[in-house]
Amino acid sequence: MLRRRTSVGGLRDYRSLARTASGETSSLLERVGPGSPGSAQPLREYALTIAEKRRLREIQVANIRYLSGWHQWRQISSKSWKKIVEDTRELSSYFELWGHDIRSIEGKFGTGIQSYFSFLRFLVILNVVIFLLVFTFITLPSAFYKHGTVNGSYVQLPLKSIEHHCTVYVVSGTKGLIYFYSYVIDLLTGTGFLEMTSLFYGYYTVDTIYFGFLKYHVPLAYLLTTLGYLSLSFLWIVKRSVDGFKQSLVRNDDQFQSYCNKIFAGWDFCITDVNAARLKHSSLHYELKTDLEEERLRQKVAERTTREKIRIYCLRIFLNCVVLAVLSACFYSIYRATVYSQENISNDHKQRFDDNLIVQYLPSMVITMANFIAPLIFSVLIKFEDYSPAFEIRLTLMRCVFVRLANIGVLLFSLWTRIRSCTNAKCMACGYNYQLYPCWESRVGQEMYKLMIFDFIIIFAITVFIDFPRKLMVTYCSYKAFRWCGLQEFAIPDNVLEIVYGQTICWIGTFYCPLLPAIAAVKYFVVFYIKKISLMHTCKPSTRPFRASSSNFFFLVVLLIGLILAFIPLGLSMTHIPSSKACGPFVNVNRSWDVIEHTAHHFPPVLQKVLNGIVSEAFAVPFFMVVCLIMFYFIALAGAHKRVVNQLREQLVMESRDKLFLIRKLTEAQRLS
């Protein structure tokens, strides 16, 4: 009886507590948003006072006490799981790569430069994942078979349809007396003893491997792994850029709000260094000046006469023609350097060491010179085009991105032009120039390998032989010329373009040089410390920082452009250029993409009909329509969300005006009293 009274009394107390706090609870729930507080996230995440949080905690405890056992267990399990996840995340932060170093850089130089090093860490992790994919599904099974660990078979050539001279592939320079410097050349160029290792395409001649009752088809795995790491990179980049895209989608273009954000919320409280704080102060001052300058230019553009518009448009057309001429000169120089290098490459190890190495690296040197000279010309020309400062930066960066990535495309085009050039019937029977390129995929892989090595050499050489001597001269020399020169600025966009260029090389070259992601991961790992030492000791942060440097969205957009451009040469190579008949896993098919069709012929008839239906027009047209409807739905949903955001902003403005009105009335009442 006593227990019943106690329970009834407790129930009455709970009901009275709920009735008493109903109005307060509803107001609190409106403030914290929809859903039960504590069920979605902890109360400490809400913008409430301590008293309000205690009040909600009491209501939660009262609610849990009178729930069923199943609901109590669900809530307790949910809270316990969230606690475990939070503890795991906190523990994993201690094992995060370069976590302490990046936080130290953020504390001294702000979030702008910190975002660059975080982006560099992302590329290291991405390349490690790509290497694990390639090593697990391609390199490791082939190595197991070649060392006799598992049973299998090599690729069988259809000799009736392929001429014998197309299948001859002899790696020169690997027999007889070899000088020591020949090994150095081979190590730097990927020739000689490296050419037939697992580093390059020609090593993978295994067709089928048997793991018990399972058959592992290496050519199909080679192609699917390539598509897999490209798709994984695309999805990973898109996922990381979603947050930045959401912010840019709802961003307001109101300049007044931009001024308020810079004045009241522009300071970076992670900065602890005095010099960095002074630099942040000057950068905010510069951004405000830039905003005012853009406003002045916008007003100037609105007041232009017809004659002034014609003059500025003619000048821009002329300067863009100059830009096209510079690009054409760069592309033609790369083309001629590639042709000269391919015609004069000597496998004779008795040739002079420096002559052979210069010829081997001539395309890489010309590409590096083009990447250095063209941006300087663009930065001078953009000043005469009379654009706003923000648009100047974006246009210059887009031109630099195009130059760096298009140079790789010109190099590949030059190689493929030489590969496809045939002058006799024997060459036409093979489908490519078998005399110069018996295994053209390995030759392309060697070019990508040399670009990767040379890019690392340039980064290291600039830091050691330019930045450090410049630091010493500025610090210890009293000449005004050295003082006027100053320290090298750590330009974030230029450094980002540098590593995006290297990552694009890695994406393209992995098909021809499967272990290139491992080299790229090691390269970026070393580049992190090179850039860190250079930043700490030889460089100064840029006094004119890029506006989006505090967000990784711009970095990921540039990286996504590089990935999309990497799809083009790889797609053309797989679908249009005949595969080598003397090396690699695709010698028994005309083109590497044909292995998909060849494999589909061995599927059961029912599965073949399903696949044929998927690739047919009867499936493609409705699928395209459904995708368009889904896309239009999400576009409409995004527009609706943007309108809601605008309405909420207008409501905030109205509330601020109401508060100003009440303050004014209160001030007048105080004066009258």
Side-chain angles (χ1 to χ4, degrees):
M1 190 71 179
L2 181 60
R3 291 181 181 177
R4 182 178 179 183
R5 289 178 180 175
T6 303
S7 61
V8 172
L11 181 60
R12 288 174 180 173
D13 292 339
Y14 165 67
R15 289 176 176 174
S16 62
L17 176 63
R19 282 196 299 269
T20 305
S22 60
E24 180 183 357
T25 305
S26 61
S27 62
L28 291 177
L29 292 178
E30 290 178 358
R31 293 177 59 186
V32 301
S36 176
S39 60
Q41 55 183 343
L43 285 177
R44 63 175 179 271
E45 301 294 335
Y46 295 100
L48 300 174
T49 62
I50 299 298
E52 291 171 340
K53 290 181 179 179
R54 288 176 179 172
R55 186 68 174 171
L56 286 176
R57 178 65 66 186
E58 292 175 359
I59 295 172
Q60 287 179 352
V61 172
N63 284 329
I64 294 174
R65 186 181 304 169
Y66 296 98
L67 291 175
S68 63
W70 167 250
H71 288 88
Q72 289 185 17
W73 179 82
R74 285 184 59 185
Q75 289 199 4
I76 294 173
S77 301
S78 176
K79 290 183 179 180
S80 301
W81 174 251
K82 290 177 182 178
K83 180 65 175 175
I84 293 172
V85 171
E86 290 179 0
D87 293 340
T88 304
R89 289 179 179 176
E90 185 177 357
L91 182 63
S92 63
S93 64
Y94 293 100
F95 300 98
E96 190 178 18
L97 181 63
W98 299 320
H100 176 73
D101 295 332
I102 292 178
R103 285 191 292 269
S104 176
I105 292 171
E106 180 182 7
K108 291 184 178 180
F109 300 100
T111 57
I113 296 178
Q114 175 266 341
S115 62
Y116 164 76
F117 285 94
S118 298
F119 181 65
L120 190 58
R121 176 177 60 188
F122 165 68
L123 291 183
V124 172
I125 298 173
L126 177 64
N127 284 301
V128 169
V129 173
I130 294 175
F131 164 70
L132 291 177
L133 284 175
V134 175
F135 183 78
T136 303
F137 293 103
I138 299 176
T139 306
L140 200 60
S142 300
F144 280 161
Y145 172 70
K146 293 204 171 187
H147 288 84
T149 306
V150 294
N151 296 324
S153 62
Y154 286 100
V155 179
Q156 299 295 327
L157 295 174
L159 298 178
K160 294 182 179 180
S161 59
I162 297 178
E163 299 293 337
H164 176 71
H165 60 269
C166 300
T167 64
V168 178
Y169 177 42
V170 179
V171 179
S172 58
T174 58
K175 297 180 180 180
L177 180 62
I178 301 177
Y179 296 96
F180 173 75
Y181 61 77
S182 299
Y183 286 104
V184 178
I185 293 179
D186 294 342
L187 189 63
L188 292 175
T189 60
T191 57
F193 74 95
L194 282 179
E195 190 167 351
M196 283 305 294
T197 61
S198 58
L199 183 62
F200 292 107
Y201 172 92
Y203 172 84
Y204 301 93
T205 56
V206 181
D207 181 44
T208 305
I209 299 176
Y210 299 96
F211 295 100
F213 297 100
L214 298 177
K215 293 174 60 177
Y216 188 80
H217 195 47
V218 175
L220 182 62
Y222 199 103
L223 188 63
L224 293 181
T225 303
T226 301
L227 299 177
Y229 79 75
L230 291 174
S231 302
L232 175 65
S233 302
F234 178 78
L235 295 176
W236 202 343
I237 294 170
V238 170
K239 182 180 180 300
R240 286 179 64 92
S241 59
V242 164
D243 295 334
F245 177 73
K246 289 180 180 179
Q247 294 176 4
S248 63
L249 187 65
V250 299
R251 184 178 300 166
N252 193 6
D253 294 330
D254 187 8
Q255 290 298 323
F256 178 75
Q257 184 181 4
S258 177
Y259 298 145
C260 293
N261 288 336
K262 289 183 176 64
I263 294 173
F264 297 107
W267 186 256
D268 189 354
F269 289 94
C270 295
I271 297 177
T272 58
D273 187 70
V274 177
N275 295 326
R278 190 180 297 112
L279 180 66
K280 183 65 177 178
H281 181 273
S282 62
S283 67
L284 287 174
H285 180 259
Y286 167 74
E287 289 186 4
L288 290 173
K289 288 175 60 179
T290 303
D291 289 337
L292 295 175
E293 181 67 18
E294 288 179 355
E295 192 68 25
R296 186 188 67 81
L297 289 174
R298 195 177 293 111
Q299 184 178 0
K300 179 182 176 182
V301 170
E303 296 175 354
R304 280 177 182 168
T305 62
T306 305
R307 183 178 180 180
E308 290 177 346
K309 290 180 180 179
I310 294 174
R311 183 188 63 83
I312 192 64
Y313 289 150
C314 292
L315 180 61
R316 289 175 181 176
I317 293 173
F318 172 74
L319 293 177
N320 279 281
C321 292
V322 175
V323 170
L324 292 176
V326 172
L327 293 175
S328 301
C330 293
F331 296 159
Y332 181 74
S333 301
I334 295 170
Y335 174 77
R336 294 305 307 170
T338 305
V339 172
Y340 178 82
S341 175
Q342 297 300 312
E343 290 178 349
N344 294 275
I345 286 178
S346 175
N347 292 317
D348 185 9
H349 290 272
K350 295 181 180 180
Q351 188 181 6
R352 289 184 56 189
F353 170 79
D354 51 353
D355 291 343
N356 196 10
L357 193 61
I358 291 174
V359 171
Q360 292 266 13
Y361 270 90
L362 185 60
S364 301
M365 290 188 289
V366 174
I367 289 175
T368 303
M369 291 296 295
N371 293 339
F372 177 75
I373 295 174
L376 295 179
I377 299 176
F378 295 158
S379 62
V380 174
L381 294 178
I382 197 68
K383 296 179 181 178
F384 298 98
E385 298 186 58
D386 199 12
Y387 291 116
S388 63
F391 188 76
E392 281 186 9
I393 294 175
R394 289 195 293 267
L395 183 59
T396 304
L397 288 175
M398 288 300 104
R399 286 173 176 173
C400 295
V401 169
F402 179 77
V403 168
R404 284 180 175 269
L405 301 183
N407 287 340
I408 304 174
V410 172
L411 173 64
L412 294 174
F413 172 77
S414 305
L415 287 173
W416 288 337
T417 303
R418 297 276 299 171
I419 292 168
R420 296 296 300 272
S421 62
C422 291
T423 57
N424 51 50
K426 289 185 176 181
C427 180
M428 295 294 293
C430 299
Y432 60 94
N433 194 339
Y434 73 96
Q435 294 177 341
L436 294 178
Y437 306 97
C439 185
W440 65 265
E441 290 92 347
S442 292
R443 181 63 66 86
V444 175
Q446 289 169 0
E447 294 297 329
M448 297 296 104
Y449 174 82
K450 287 186 285 187
L451 282 176
M452 183 72 69
I453 297 297
F454 192 73
D455 185 53
F456 173 73
I457 292 174
I458 291 297
I459 294 173
F460 180 79
I462 289 176
T463 303
V464 174
F465 299 109
I466 295 179
D467 292 344
F468 274 102
R470 184 173 179 176
K471 166 72 173 179
L472 295 176
M473 288 188 296
V474 171
T475 305
Y476 298 105
C477 294
S478 59
Y479 293 103
K480 292 184 179 180
F482 295 142
R483 298 285 183 180
W484 176 81
C485 181
L487 295 176
Q488 174 70 26
E489 290 188 354
F490 193 88
I492 299 175
D494 294 340
N495 284 279
V496 169
L497 294 179
E498 188 178 74
I499 58 178
V500 168
Y501 165 75
Q503 185 60 37
T504 306
I505 294 172
C506 178
W507 277 323
I508 297 175
T510 303
F511 182 78
Y512 312 103
C513 182
L515 298 186
L516 196 61
I519 300 173
V522 175
K523 169 194 166 183
Y524 288 139
F525 189 87
V526 179
V527 166
F528 179 90
Y529 291 100
I530 293 176
K531 294 296 182 181
K532 177 187 173 184
I533 295 172
S534 176
L535 174 66
M536 296 292 185
H537 300 285
T538 66
C539 294
K540 62 179 180 180
S542 176
T543 55
R544 299 180 59 179
F546 182 64
R547 292 178 182 270
S549 61
S550 60
S551 174
N552 286 327
F553 181 63
F554 166 74
F555 302 161
L556 294 170
V557 167
V558 176
L559 188 63
L560 190 60
I561 293 173
L563 177 60
I564 293 173
L565 293 180
F567 272 103
I568 299 174
L570 284 176
L572 293 175
S573 172
M574 294 177 185
T575 57
H576 288 78
I577 301 179
S579 57
S580 297
K581 303 301 182 291
C583 67
F586 303 108
V587 296
N588 57 353
V589 292
N590 188 23
R591 296 172 180 85
S592 57
W593 189 259
D594 294 340
V595 72
I596 299 291
E597 183 179 356
H598 180 73
T599 305
H601 287 317
H602 295 83
F603 289 162
V606 177
L607 185 57
Q608 291 186 27
K609 291 181 180 179
V610 172
L611 294 177
N612 292 331
I614 291 176
V615 299
S616 64
E617 295 179 357
F619 177 82
V621 174
F623 178 76
F624 178 74
M625 294 178 63
V626 171
V627 170
C628 289
L629 291 174
I630 295 173
M631 182 180 66
F632 290 147
Y633 168 75
F634 281 108
I635 291 174
L637 187 63
H641 289 167
K642 192 171 184 178
R643 287 193 295 271
V644 170
V645 170
N646 292 331
Q647 292 175 0
L648 292 175
R649 284 173 176 165
E650 293 176 0
Q651 185 177 355
L652 289 174
V653 172
M654 294 297 296
E655 290 182 358
S656 64
R657 292 176 180 175
D658 293 340
K659 291 180 180 179
L660 290 175
F661 176 77
L662 293 175
I663 291 173
R664 190 180 301 112
K665 290 296 183 182
L666 182 60
T667 305
E668 292 177 357
Q670 289 178 350
R671 288 178 180 176
L672 293 176
S673 62

